[in-house]
Amino acid sequence: MASDSGAAPGAGNAAGNTTLERCLDVLRDAKNDSEQFAALLLVTKAVRAGEVDCRTRRRIFDAVGFTFPNRLLASREPPAGCPEHVFRALGLTLLTCFCTDPELASHSQILNKIPTFNDILASPCNPDDTYTSSMVDDVYQCLGAVLATARGPRELVSRGTVSALCQVYLKNSYGHDHALQLLQGLLATAEARCWQRATPDLMAVLGKLSETFHRAEDMTKFQMCAILPHFMPPPPLLTQHPQGSKCLHNLYRGLASILSSRLSQLQRDPALKLAACLSQACGSEWIPAGNAGSKFLALLVNLACVEVRLCLEEPDPATVDGKEEVMTACYILIEMGILECMREEKPLLKEKQKVQLVGTMGEAFGAVIYYLRQVGWEKLGEPFIFASVRILGAWMAEETSSLKQEICDLLPFLVHYARTLFREEDKAMCFPQQTAVPGVPGSPKDSALPTDALRFLLPALCHLTAEDRPREILISEGVPALLCEYFLRQWQVLTSEPQPLALPDSIEVSLQTTCGVFLNLVVTTPDLIRRDGCFSSLMDTLMKSLPFLLPRQGHLVLAANVATLGLMMARILASIPVLQETPSAQAFFEAAIHFLSQAHAAREDPTSKSLAMAVVPDYEAAWADIRELWFLGMQAFAQDLLALLGQVAPDSVDFELIAVFQGILLELARASQRGKEVIMSQRGKEWANLYGMAALEQCLCEL
């Protein structure tokens, strides 16, 4: 319908554009500042009214460039009769116009203005003052445009914008809501840098947010659930910073208030996500000890289990679509529940609560298994499948008595999934990534979705290979060969040159756990070790690994695993070429003897003042982790050594070699009664007498 004036639709815009075109001509041809200023007022008026398309914006830029806005921003003396900030306001309006072009928003002339933008945010602003408030509005538009560029986040962080935005929010200054939105954007794209540059300011913001969250009694409480995860600091900052404990207490009280109420799905989901972010940041430390804390923890895990069952037990797998984020958050909360049920020292949960939660979590994992069997094969590349496999691996690592048949039925899929991701990672030739939880704000944002599914299944494989039926399935699915490849890959990463600045601890832990799986196979299926060629390759790698590890600090636990596994495999694979007096075999056994023989030394007993056998300081810190491995290695070595002494003529063994053998056997005999019994069972007392090992014979004769 035509307007009352009879003008055609769009005629007003056309007239405005014509006026703007004339202003641009005047601006281009202006002979002095007065003419230029008058034309510029009309141009900026049009810009503020939004009457600028891409072509016109470019014409404005071509007419004035960055030079004229720079002059306006630098000017401190407005024309007579004009407001104090008129020049700066006009300059900012032009820059805001230019920033709507992504190419101009990343221009060095814009980036160099970031300190100026920060200064304007820090200056007092009267909302009733049109010029100062419009300047702040323009600054937020400019900063938002810069943030959206590739270089923007780094430049904003390095030039102090994080602190400037924090101060705006903390002082409740004009535009503080915009400041909070920009902070969320910066933390989403450059979390680590933001916290490195502005920890005190960001912690102060988190303190204010958590206080608001705790005290709110309206919809603000639920809105804060979506905002707070963006401000979770990287661990362990939240538990170590002076303000952290108060923040955690406020967050706990706010969540306890929400989750103990009747909620709709839209209200409950953000609360569960926030709880998951807290659990990622500091485990269960945010939940206070005592009756209230234990009830809250039990409630939280129960709610998570119910959500998982409601979603994953649906006959239609499409029910999960769109709910992956909250499901992943529930997985994090359930994992916290697993850890707390296994916790013995200062547990938050009572024994009755633990028993109840184990049953509830078992039902939830039944739903996870059902879901993976339904859709896992078709959705191998989806992040939620990875999250589901990861949490199931955590459950299987601790709970082996329930869902046995269901787990056995799922094992072929789990092996196929882990192998598929391993092959993809092999093609990409990339390092395993640190764990990032997909879909949960507050999880590590700078790391890609991990592809190392095997890492999360290894503890479960340690348990499963100790049981007959699961072990048979795993062997039939080719797990031994896959783990040999995996061990070699992880070893290459650990020993790569040049070393990355910080290797994840997970690499060494994965190698240790893989050794544990192999030890189970060595003990339960020695025939498999003999016939499967992958173990000959593994033996070769182990022989080269131990001499590399022992001289280096911080690798004693892994060295213990490698030494013990190598010694036990060597007994089975004695005839393979790599063990036939090769340099690598000699180096391995020398290193193994060194590892076994250096664990103990004579130390003065403070009570009796006499010398007693004691673990040496270098081994002491890791002794709890390597004690059983050391005994296993000693036992394997001693049995082979005594068997060898029984096969040869005593006069064919050099005196120096006898002294070395006696030192090793004496070490085992003195270390424990069990070690002494192993030697005695192999006719050790007889061989000690026959070979003149007087010290060993005396030790074996002692009660």
Side-chain angles (χ1 to χ4, degrees):
M1 182 182 293
S3 64
D4 293 342
S5 63
N13 285 343
N17 286 337
T18 302
T19 302
L20 186 58
E21 295 284 342
R22 286 201 298 269
C23 292
L24 288 172
D25 291 338
V26 172
L27 190 61
R28 185 186 60 246
D29 300 331
K31 296 181 175 59
N32 54 56
D33 286 349
S34 297
E35 291 182 8
Q36 201 170 42
F37 178 68
L40 187 59
L41 282 173
L42 293 172
V43 170
T44 52
K45 182 179 178 181
V47 168
R48 286 199 179 117
E51 299 171 355
V52 178
D53 54 22
C54 294
R55 175 179 167 275
T56 307
R57 181 176 59 236
R58 179 55 69 169
R59 284 205 61 197
I60 295 173
F61 179 72
D62 291 340
V64 302
F66 285 113
T67 303
F68 197 59
N70 289 347
R71 285 174 56 199
L72 291 170
L73 286 172
S75 176
R76 299 294 178 185
E77 296 182 9
C82 290
E84 178 185 358
H85 301 291
V86 64
F87 278 160
R88 301 190 83 196
L90 292 174
L92 276 172
T93 300
L94 286 173
L95 291 182
T96 304
C97 173
F98 298 160
C99 280
T100 56
D101 183 333
E103 184 179 345
L104 293 179
S106 60
H107 195 283
S108 60
Q109 288 279 3
I110 295 290
L111 300 180
N112 289 338
K113 300 295 181 301
I114 291 175
T116 301
F117 298 155
N118 297 341
D119 290 342
I120 292 170
L121 292 180
S123 302
C125 174
N126 181 357
D128 298 326
D129 184 331
T130 303
Y131 280 98
T132 56
S133 62
S134 68
M135 286 169 62
V136 173
D137 290 336
D138 286 341
V139 163
Y140 283 126
Q141 288 192 53
C142 290
L143 292 176
V146 171
L147 176 61
T149 66
R151 290 177 56 193
R154 181 187 295 270
E155 295 290 337
L156 290 170
V157 173
S158 64
R159 295 172 190 257
T161 300
V162 177
S163 293
L165 293 171
C166 288
Q167 290 304 313
V168 169
Y169 179 74
L170 292 169
K171 294 174 181 177
N172 215 35
S173 301
Y174 177 77
H176 59 274
D177 289 340
H178 290 298
L180 196 64
Q181 290 173 6
L182 283 171
L183 282 172
Q184 290 178 61
L186 277 166
L187 287 165
T189 52
E191 181 187 46
R193 294 192 188 97
C194 288
W195 282 102
Q196 287 167 5
R197 293 296 295 261
T199 297
D201 292 308
L202 285 170
M203 283 302 298
V205 169
L206 178 59
K208 182 177 178 179
L209 289 170
S210 63
E211 182 74 22
T212 303
F213 175 62
H214 161 53
R215 296 193 178 282
E217 296 294 340
D218 54 14
M219 288 304 296
T220 303
K221 208 176 195 74
F222 299 102
Q223 294 165 359
M224 297 297 289
C225 285
I227 295 172
L228 278 161
H230 295 280
F231 291 87
M232 289 297 148
L237 185 58
L238 197 52
T239 54
Q240 294 181 355
H241 194 276
Q243 291 178 267
S245 60
K246 185 177 180 181
C247 291
L248 290 175
H249 187 57
N250 283 329
L251 292 168
Y252 160 72
R253 290 196 293 179
L255 279 170
S257 171
I258 289 176
L259 293 173
S260 59
S261 308
R262 293 179 64 88
L263 302 171
S264 68
Q265 190 79 42
L266 290 176
Q267 294 170 328
R268 184 167 54 251
D269 287 358
L272 290 173
K273 291 179 188 178
L274 174 57
C277 287
L278 280 166
S279 301
Q280 274 197 301
C282 50
S284 61
E285 289 185 51
W286 61 284
I287 301 174
N291 192 49
S294 66
K295 285 183 177 179
F296 174 75
L297 176 58
L299 170 67
L300 197 56
V301 178
N302 271 298
L303 285 174
C305 290
V306 169
E307 289 295 318
V308 167
R309 291 190 63 188
L310 285 174
C311 187
L312 301 187
E313 285 180 351
E314 284 291 325
D316 183 7
T319 307
V320 179
D321 296 343
K323 300 188 71 175
E324 291 93 342
E325 284 190 21
V326 71
M327 284 296 98
T328 306
C330 289
Y331 285 169
I332 295 168
L333 297 174
I334 292 172
E335 185 171 9
M336 179 175 66
I338 294 171
L339 294 174
E340 285 303 315
C341 285
M342 300 301 119
R343 182 173 165 183
E344 296 180 358
E345 186 177 348
K346 296 181 180 179
L348 284 175
L349 296 169
K350 299 172 183 176
E351 285 304 314
K352 187 177 179 180
Q353 290 172 316
K354 289 183 179 181
V355 172
Q356 184 271 323
L357 278 184
V358 167
T360 303
M361 289 189 291
E363 293 171 352
F365 282 107
V368 173
I369 292 172
Y370 172 79
Y371 175 75
L372 289 174
R373 292 189 67 185
Q374 290 284 101
V375 304
W377 295 94
E378 299 98 46
K379 297 187 175 184
L380 293 179
E382 295 195 5
F384 183 63
I385 297 296
F386 187 97
S388 300
V389 170
R390 180 188 181 279
I391 189 63
L392 184 59
W395 171 256
M396 294 190 300
E398 302 295 347
E399 174 56 49
T400 57
S401 60
S402 65
L403 302 173
K404 280 191 175 182
Q405 186 56 51
E406 291 87 346
I407 288 171
C408 284
D409 292 341
L410 189 66
L411 281 178
F413 165 75
L414 293 176
V415 174
H416 173 76
Y417 180 75
R419 180 183 287 113
T420 300
L421 266 62
F422 179 75
R423 296 282 179 256
E424 288 177 0
E425 189 182 26
D426 205 27
K427 291 175 186 175
M429 294 298 289
C430 62
F431 292 134
Q433 298 288 333
Q434 298 239 1
T435 309
V437 180
V440 179
S443 66
K445 302 173 183 67
D446 295 331
S447 56
L449 176 70
T451 55
D452 190 0
L454 267 173
R455 171 159 70 95
F456 299 108
L457 292 174
L458 283 172
L461 293 178
C462 261
H463 288 296
L464 294 170
T465 48
E467 300 180 19
D468 293 341
R469 178 60 184 144
R471 184 174 61 249
E472 290 172 5
I473 297 171
L474 293 170
I475 291 172
S476 68
E477 294 293 330
V479 166
L482 176 61
L483 289 182
C484 285
E485 287 185 68
Y486 180 79
F487 185 93
L488 181 59
R489 160 86 69 73
Q490 299 295 84
W491 178 253
Q492 289 171 341
V493 173
L494 186 69
T495 58
S496 60
E497 295 290 347
Q499 282 282 338
L501 291 177
L503 277 171
D505 292 339
S506 60
I507 291 176
E508 189 145 341
V509 173
S510 294
L511 287 166
Q512 295 168 18
T513 315
T514 309
C515 286
V517 178
F518 288 139
L519 279 170
N520 283 345
L521 295 176
V522 167
V523 172
T524 58
T525 57
D527 287 343
L528 173 70
I529 308 300
R530 291 188 190 94
R531 70 172 183 267
D532 196 324
C534 70
F535 289 102
S536 296
S537 300
L538 176 63
M539 187 72 227
D540 186 41
T541 301
L542 293 174
M543 289 194 301
K544 295 171 182 173
S545 304
L546 189 60
F548 174 87
L549 288 170
L550 273 183
R552 289 167 169 77
Q553 292 287 330
H555 298 293
L556 188 59
V557 177
L558 180 56
N561 277 274
V562 169
T564 304
L565 177 61
L567 287 170
M568 295 186 72
M569 285 180 59
R571 300 172 62 194
I572 301 171
L573 300 174
S575 62
I576 65 172
V578 294
L579 285 168
Q580 305 308 308
E581 299 184 12
T582 60
S584 60
Q586 181 179 348
F588 170 77
F589 286 112
E590 286 177 356
I593 291 171
H594 179 84
F595 164 71
L596 295 172
S597 63
Q598 299 298 309
H600 297 84
R603 187 187 300 175
E604 184 178 346
D605 188 334
T607 56
S608 64
K609 301 298 182 181
S610 60
L611 293 178
M613 181 73 73
V615 176
V616 298
D618 287 347
Y619 283 56
E620 209 163 21
W623 191 243
D625 294 319
I626 68 173
R627 182 177 183 273
E628 287 300 318
L629 291 166
W630 184 86
F631 278 116
L632 273 175
M634 271 298 225
Q635 181 176 329
F637 198 85
Q639 287 174 336
D640 283 351
L641 178 55
L642 291 166
L644 177 64
L645 292 176
Q647 293 171 359
V648 301
D651 58 3
S652 68
V653 184
D654 293 340
F655 178 78
E656 290 180 356
L657 192 56
I658 291 174
V660 171
F661 288 169
Q662 177 174 234
I664 294 171
L665 295 170
L666 195 59
E667 173 94 358
L668 179 60
R670 286 175 173 171
S672 73
Q673 183 62 31
R674 193 176 79 183
K676 188 181 292 187
E677 290 169 358
V678 168
I679 296 172
M680 292 291 285
S681 69
Q682 301 291 317
R683 300 168 64 188
K685 191 174 179 181
E686 178 183 340
W687 304 134
N689 178 272
L690 189 60
Y691 283 88
M693 300 179 185
L696 177 61
E697 186 176 9
Q698 181 181 349
C699 179
L700 295 175
C701 289
E702 294 172 355
L703 293 177

